[in-house]
């Protein structure tokens, strides 16, 4: 009986994997931006990753930094930044949140909402599409498509 | 098959998921409006799991603090199901508080909620952090908890590696230091406090309320690679289990002539005095693009009677294809009792003969050699939920994590365990 069930189980696994779907990624350049008068300077890719993955809340120069996420851009952002699927990022945050390490960045629905926060908070950083960039925002890093 | 209590749990899971979805949104909004410097959030996690096998006279447990297990021919939903709720408060840029409660089937087959985390955190900067209160021992590569199913790839943590480490919370303090090293971050943590938890050996539960826990972890997290070393030790002021056996040895000491009286007294003293449980663990994780690999290992020893020494090793390889993540997993553990022969003369007194037999029986309870090979898939069908299907082939020469229908350790077993879980966070 067990062998029979095993034989049935494997094809089911194969079938569900073959039927997988992919989400289209954003084709635009993404920009990591901050307040125009922010003391946060240009960032390296590692620093951007550490900030948005909750590992750094203060840069080596002492400047505090608060990440703000854009719900609609999370998937292309993390795929380009560290090559990871958004499901992996969600699992990562579950590990940190429920072990008391830190809480994930607040998520806002659009680039417009996130830019509004960044333009009002000198410590905030977020990511936006290039076409949504407010000329007042300070660009810290660019993520190519 | 599904008890009234379990139905309540399932209903609570559904209700809390809906509530949590709302509360999570409220918490984020409160954090962004700037109206208050204190931000509160209610979040949670849960697993609704089912497992099935067809091995006669065998009960599968994910950890030794469970008594029921998955019985032959029954779809068991109590083995892996769990619900956790967390309240987190960010008081200012340096101070925060967190409390987390978990309900799962315990050794008494009840679902009494347990407070697994409750601490105040002070983080003056990114490089140092202090926490006071109740915390979990930091031994897992996938977060400091074995309960958050959504956080790891497989259906459950390696039962062969972590199934015996049940005393994983303490009331005390931990201090962490972090520093950049290469492209990653190096983190060192010391922790210590009063042990919360129990030691389980078949039907014997040893209360460790007077225990002390201390240990340290060192981890490095880079872009693709993460490394972790953990060490911990738990001390009790005395052994609490097998009190009847200890009294029997004391009585035997009075009945027997020299040198047997001293030997019996020495064994009795070991039950009372031996008091250390230690582990040394490592974890290696590698994630790049769709690939992820994990290797974990633990060396364990317990001097509390009957005592054991052993090790566990686990590995998982996975490849993500969109929302699907097929994986293979393997684990193995070997545990042997500490060599403590009870050399007493036979035929002197019936009570002494019974004592000799009892001593050997208790020692044999701990003996364990088991390996597990599994294949499965994780399907992230929503932003905060995943369905997992897994088939494990379990081969045991002898096992103290599997139970027979009488509730005692098993001899050789070889069977396939089918599992499905719905893991979610809110």
């Amino acid at each position: 009986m067990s062998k029979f069930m095993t034989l049935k189980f494997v094809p089911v696994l194969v079938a569900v994997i073959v039927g997988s779907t992919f989400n289209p990624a954003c084709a635009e350049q993404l920009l990591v931006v901050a307040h125009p008068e922010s003391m946060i300077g240009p960032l390296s890719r590692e620093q951007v990753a550490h900030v948005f993955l909750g590992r750094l809340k203060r840069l080596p120069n002492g400047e505090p930094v608060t990440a703000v996420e854009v719900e609609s851009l999370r998937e292309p952002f993390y795929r380009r930044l560290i090559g990871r699927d958004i499901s992996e990022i969600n699992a990562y945050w579950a590990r940190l949140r429920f072990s008391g390490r830190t809480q994930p960045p607040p998520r806002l629905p659009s680039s417009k909402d996130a830019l509004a926060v960044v333009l009002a908070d000198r410590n905030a950083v977020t990511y936006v599409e290039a076409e949504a960039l407010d000329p007042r925002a300070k660009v810290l890093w660019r993520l190519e498509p | 098959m599904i008890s009234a209590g379990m139905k309540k749990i399932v209903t609570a899971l559904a209700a809390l998921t809906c509530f949590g979805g709302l509360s999570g949104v409220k918490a984020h909004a409160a954090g962004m409006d700037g109206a208050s410097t204190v931000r509160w959030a209610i979040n949670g996690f849960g697993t609704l799991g089912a497992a099935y096998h067809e091995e006669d006279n065998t009960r599968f447990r994910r950890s030794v603090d469970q008594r029921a297990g998955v019985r032959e021919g029954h779809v068991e939903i109590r083995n892996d199901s769990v619900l956790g709720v967390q309240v987190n408060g960010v008081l200012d840029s340096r101070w925060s508080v967190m409390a987390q409660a978990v309900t799962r089937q315990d050794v008494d087959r009840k679902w009494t909620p347990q407070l697994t985390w409750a601490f105040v955190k002070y983080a003056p900067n990114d490089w140092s952090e202090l926490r006071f209160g109740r915390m979990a021992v930091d031994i897992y590569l996938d977060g400091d908890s074995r309960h958050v199913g959504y956080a790891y790839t497989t259906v459950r943590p390696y039962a062969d590696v972590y199934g015996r480490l049940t005393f994983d919370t303490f009331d005390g303090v931990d201090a962490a230091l972090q520093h950049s090293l290469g492209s990653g971050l190096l983190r060192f943590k010391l922790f210590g406090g009063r042990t919360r938890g129990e030691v389980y050996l078949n039907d014997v539960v040893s209360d460790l309320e007077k225990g002390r826990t201390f240990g340290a972890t060192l981890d490095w997290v880079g872009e693709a690679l993460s490394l972790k070393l953990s060490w911990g030790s738990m001390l009790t002021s005395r052994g609490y289990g097998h009190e009847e056996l200890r009294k029997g040895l004391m009585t035997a000491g009075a009945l027997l002539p020299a040198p047997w009286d001293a030997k019996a007294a020495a064994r009795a003293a070991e039950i009372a005095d031996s008091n250390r449980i230690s582990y040394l663990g490592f974890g290696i994780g590698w994630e790049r693009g769709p690939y992820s690999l994990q290797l974990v290992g633990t060396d364990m020893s317990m001097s509390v009677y009957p005592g054991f020494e052993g090790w566990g090793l686990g590995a998982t390889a996975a490849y993500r294809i969109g929302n699907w993540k097929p994986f293979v997993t393997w684990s193995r553990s070997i545990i042997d009792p500490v060599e403590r022969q009870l050399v007493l003369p036979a035929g002197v007194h019936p009570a002494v003969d019974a004592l000799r037999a009892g001593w050997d029986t208790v020692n044999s309870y701990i003996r364990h050699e088991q390996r597990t090979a599994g294949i499965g898939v994780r399907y992230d069908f929503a932003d905060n939920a995943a369905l997992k299907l897994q088939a494990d082939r379990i081969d045991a020469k002898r096992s103290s994590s599997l139970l027979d229908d009488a509730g005692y350790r098993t001899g050789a077993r070889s069977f396939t365990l089918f599992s499905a879980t719905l893991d979610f966070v809110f």
Side-chain angles (χ1 to χ4, degrees), chain A residues 12-125:
Chain A
V12 169
L13 285 181
V14 173
V16 294
I17 293 165
V18 169
S20 64
T21 58
F22 296 86
N23 293 324
C26 172
E28 276 192 70
Q29 189 182 56
L30 296 177
L31 308 174
V32 176
V33 297
H35 188 278
E37 297 174 14
S38 171
M39 298 297 287
I40 303 169
L43 299 176
S44 67
R45 191 164 68 90
E46 287 81 9
Q47 285 176 320
V48 173
H50 287 326
V51 167
F52 281 93
L53 292 174
R55 298 171 189 152
L56 286 180
K57 291 186 171 58
R58 196 175 291 267
L59 295 172
N61 65 5
E63 286 302 314
V65 56
T66 306
V68 177
E69 291 202 298
V70 179
E71 184 73 57
S72 57
L73 297 177
R74 290 182 78 229
E75 183 158 357
F77 178 72
Y78 286 108
R79 191 177 295 280
R80 290 183 209 173
L81 181 66
I82 55 172
R84 303 293 289 162
D85 189 274
I86 198 62
S87 298
E88 300 294 328
I89 302 300
N90 293 337
Y92 166 85
W93 276 113
R95 291 199 280 274
L96 266 63
R97 164 176 269 163
F98 296 113
S99 59
R101 285 273 189 95
T102 186
Q103 297 290 310
R107 283 186 218 168
L108 296 176
S110 69
S111 297
K112 184 180 174 184
D113 299 319
L115 272 170
V117 171
V118 162
L119 293 175
D121 183 349
R122 291 187 179 205
N123 297 329
V125 295

Side-chain angles (χ1 to χ4, degrees), chain B residues 254-311:
Chain B
L255 291 171
L256 293 168
W260 314 115
D261 56 344
K263 290 179 183 292
R267 290 295 184 232
E270 284 176 353
I271 293 177
D273 299 336
S274 299
N275 62 355
R276 181 183 291 272
I277 299 173
S278 302
Y279 68 84
L280 180 65
F282 75 90
I284 302 171
W286 182 81
E287 298 177 325
R288 183 177 290 275
Y291 300 96
S292 60
L293 298 170
Q294 184 188 77
L295 177 66
V296 300
T298 303
D299 182 88
M300 301 165 281
S301 65
M302 178 175 86
S303 68
V304 178
Y305 178 81
F308 66 74
E309 292 173 347
W311 56 267

Side-chain angles (χ1 to χ4, degrees), chain A residues 46 50 55, chain B residues 179-186 220-223 225:
Chain A
E46 287 81 9
H50 287 326
R55 298 171 189 152
Chain B
H179 197 273
S180 296
L181 181 66
S183 61
L185 295 172
L186 184 70
W220 182 85
V221 180
E223 185 177 326
L225 184 67

